[in-house]
Amino acid sequence: MQKTVLHAAHLRAGAKMVDFGGWHMPINYGSQLEEHHAVRQNCGMFDVSHMTVIDLEGPDATAFLLRLLANDVRKLKDAQALYSTMLNPKGGIIDDLIVYRITENSYRVVVNAATRDKDIAWFEQVIKDFDCDMQERSDMAMIAVQGPQAVEVCDALLPLQLKELKRFTAAQHNNLFVGRTGYTGEDGVEIIIPETQAEALWNDLVDAGVQPCGLGARDTLRLEAGMHLYGQDMNDDISPLECGLTWTVRKEDLDFIGADALEDQRATGISKKHIGLVLEDKGVLRHDQELQDDVGNAGIITSGGYSPTSEKAIAMAIVDHAMNDTIHVKIRNKLLSCRVVKMPFVRNGKSHID
C-alpha cells in the first residue's frame, strides 16, 4: 500500500487509517463531525498528496488540451484554473480534473489518485500527435486548506499574497504553487509543495490552529457542495450530459475526444439526468440505493449520506430523464419519500435546503 510523505504525521496525530485506492490514508483523527464543522466554520486541512500532478510544456500544449478535454482551455489567462472532464470516444468520463495555465505553452493538471494509471496511459496515447512534453510530479506533495479562515491563515504562513488571489486562480513562488481551489464548497487553497517541505508546512498549519481532517469529512463536505466523486457520480459509461456536467462541455470547435458521441446523444435525446434529493422520512441515503417515481421511471443514488450542516439525509442521483418529483427510495424493502432540491445543498457554511 502506498503512503504519502505525511503518513508518519497522521499516525502521530492518532489518525484512523484506511485503504483508499491503494493509498494508506486518514479517514478521521477522532471525530469526523468535528472535522466537518471545522471546515464549514473555521479552517481545516487535508493531505491530498495521493493525487496526481502532471506538468505539460511545449508549443502544442494548448492544442493537446483542446483535444484531450471537453472544456476550453483557451478561456484561461496565465495563473487561471479550469475544471473539466476528460472523455473517451463513447463520451464516457475517463476522469475529471483541474488544469492551471502557467504560461501560453505550459500547464499544470491535477487528476484523481484512483484513476492515475489509466489517466497517465490516456495522456501518453493522445500526446503522441502533439509537440508537447509531460512530466508527472511525484516529487510534490499537496495539502488542501479549506474554510472561511483558510486564506487568512495561509497568507500569514506562505510567501505569497493569497488574499489578492481570486477563486480559480493560482500563484507561484519558486517551487511553491498555490491554487485558490478546493473540494469542500468553502473558500480555501490547495498547496502543491516539494515533498521535502511538506511536513514542516503541515506542522506550521497545526500550530496555527488548523484542524487536520480525513477522507470522511472530505466526502460529507463535497456531497453538501454538490461536487462529483469519480467512480460514483460519473464513470467511463456516463457522459457529462447525463450527470449534471453539461456546463463543462464547450459549445464551439467540437474537436475534442468524445464530442461526436455527445452530439449523437443530443440528437437522439439524453435519457438520464442528475438531481439532488433530501429524504423526507427517517433513514439514511446511500450510494446504489434504487429510486422510482409513481409512473415507473427509475434511477439510482450515486452519492448519499448525512449532511452535518443541514442535519438531513441528502443524495445526488442519476435518474430517467422523464422522472417526476414524486420520488421514493427503496431502503430495506420499504419505499421512503424523497424531495427533489436544487444543489448545492450547502453554500458558504449555510444550508440551502428549505
Side-chain angles (χ1 to χ4, degrees), residues 49-260:
S49 304
H50 59 309
M51 299 186 73
T52 303
V53 178
I54 302 169
D55 284 347
L56 302 169
E57 187 168 6
D60 288 348
T62 299
F64 165 61
L65 289 173
L66 285 171
R67 178 64 178 156
L68 188 75
L69 305 181
N71 213 334
D72 192 346
V73 295
R74 291 170 301 186
K75 296 186 290 187
L76 296 176
K77 298 179 180 178
D78 290 355
Q80 290 184 334
L82 183 74
Y83 174 79
S84 182
T85 52
M86 178 170 65
L87 309 182
N88 59 36
K90 298 184 300 181
I93 300 172
I94 295 173
D95 201 6
D96 66 327
L97 52 83
I98 297 286
V99 55
Y100 301 89
R101 172 170 149 158
I102 310 301
T103 67
E104 182 180 3
N105 296 318
S106 62
Y107 295 83
R108 171 162 284 178
V109 183
V110 180
V111 303
N112 288 305
T115 55
R116 181 261 173 201
D117 291 347
K118 73 169 184 174
D119 286 359
I120 292 288
W122 189 245
F123 268 69
E124 290 176 341
Q125 179 178 334
V126 178
I127 207 170
K128 292 176 182 177
D129 297 328
F130 298 90
D131 186 2
C132 179
D133 296 320
M134 60 178 284
Q135 179 186 12
E136 182 180 2
R137 299 302 304 271
S138 54
D139 59 323
M140 307 297 280
M142 191 168 176
I143 301 171
V145 188
Q146 302 283 291
Q149 302 303 316
V151 173
E152 182 175 348
V153 170
C154 292
D155 189 69
L157 291 175
L158 300 175
L160 291 166
Q161 301 299 315
L162 299 182
K163 292 180 182 179
E164 298 177 5
L165 274 187
K166 295 180 180 180
R167 299 284 185 98
F168 267 70
T169 64
Q172 193 165 4
H173 177 78
N174 296 326
N175 287 326
L176 173 67
F177 185 92
V178 182
R180 197 156 179 178
T181 50
Y183 192 51
T184 63
E186 292 296 329
D187 196 4
V189 295
E190 293 179 306
I191 304 166
I192 300 174
I193 189 171
E195 284 190 339
T196 54
Q197 302 171 27
E199 189 166 357
L201 175 59
W202 183 270
N203 292 334
D204 287 345
L205 289 164
V206 170
D207 292 342
V210 180
Q211 169 70 55
C213 302
L215 294 173
R218 192 166 183 251
D219 193 53
T220 53
L221 289 159
R222 69 93 193 166
L223 175 59
E224 288 187 341
M227 294 180 169
H228 291 55
L229 174 63
Y230 191 84
Q232 290 188 191
D233 306 295
M234 54 188 161
N235 58 42
D236 294 278
D237 297 315
I238 298 172
S239 86
L241 308 184
E242 298 170 315
C243 68
L245 293 177
T246 301
W247 62 274
T248 69
V249 179
R250 65 182 186 260
K251 299 178 180 179
E252 299 177 346
D253 299 324
L254 304 181
D255 54 355
F256 59 88
I257 297 168
D260 290 343

